[in-house]
Amino acid sequence: MAFLALHSDDELTPDAAAAAQRFLEAHPGPLSNLDRALLGSATVFTTYTAWFELRDELIPFLGERAVNLFCFAISDGYVAPYPTTFFRRELELSGDDPVDPQVTEAERLLIDWGRALGAGAASLSPELRDAVEQTFQPKLRLLLTAFAGLMVAVCVVTVVGQVPNDG
């Protein structure tokens, strides 16, 4: 049993149901187990699903593949089974090898940075920080850093909340 409840549609408050409906209008498809856990609070759900907005801002700069590699690296570094499994599957479905992907220098840097952030941002080496600063412009560094923060927050919720992988 999950530490956090996975709320059915019938259990949602009116605010949570409205937040879910707005989300589904922008992102059609079934709600995930993570979504169901977050829907215990409309505010929590809205805050965490802002991840999608940041992701959409990053894709024009980096491409979807690089963003997925970054997410996979963060969740793998954090050792968070739910998001790691999700992003492993996304990469595999697109034909990538998540364990040994063929990457550009910028993608390698995102993977290294993501793993380091997942393992603990306080231990980030000055060399890695300098490489990120040299490679990415200030706005992109801001977007990446904020996005990584949300990705780590997702890892915390899924690990602490014992959110089961989607079927």
Side-chain angles (χ1 to χ4, degrees):
M1 180 173 180
F3 178 76
L4 297 178
L6 304 181
H7 302 278
S8 69
D9 290 345
D10 296 339
E11 297 171 313
L12 300 180
T13 65
D15 287 348
Q21 184 59 41
R22 283 190 302 276
F23 176 77
L24 289 171
E25 288 169 5
H27 307 280
L31 293 171
S32 69
N33 286 342
L34 175 58
D35 297 328
R36 295 272 175 207
L38 297 173
L39 280 166
S41 162
T43 302
V44 170
F45 181 79
T46 302
T47 299
Y48 277 79
T49 56
W51 177 95
F52 287 94
E53 294 172 38
L54 274 174
R55 180 182 175 275
D56 291 345
E57 283 192 53
L58 284 171
I59 287 175
F61 291 104
L62 302 171
E64 187 172 356
R65 177 180 188 261
V67 172
N68 285 342
L69 288 166
F70 189 50
C71 291
F72 178 73
I74 291 168
S75 58
D76 191 47
Y78 194 90
V79 191
Y82 183 97
T84 300
T85 299
F86 177 84
F87 287 106
R88 176 185 304 277
R89 186 178 324 124
E90 288 295 306
L91 290 164
E92 288 171 347
L93 287 173
S94 68
D96 268 312
D97 176 358
V99 176
D100 188 27
Q102 301 303 305
V103 295
T104 65
E105 286 183 43
E107 290 169 335
R108 169 54 50 205
L109 182 58
L110 285 172
I111 291 168
D112 293 345
W113 191 32
R115 283 206 175 102
L117 291 171
S123 62
L124 190 64
S125 75
E127 295 81 18
L128 185 53
R129 183 177 288 112
D130 290 347
V132 169
E133 186 173 11
Q134 295 301 313
T135 304
F136 301 111
Q137 296 296 322
K139 180 180 179 177
L140 187 51
R141 289 195 309 267
L142 171 62
L143 292 174
L144 284 165
T145 302
F147 183 73
L150 281 176
M151 193 64 227
V152 168
V154 165
C155 291
V156 169
V157 167
T158 62
V159 170
V160 173
Q162 300 173 336
V163 176
N165 285 328
D166 295 305

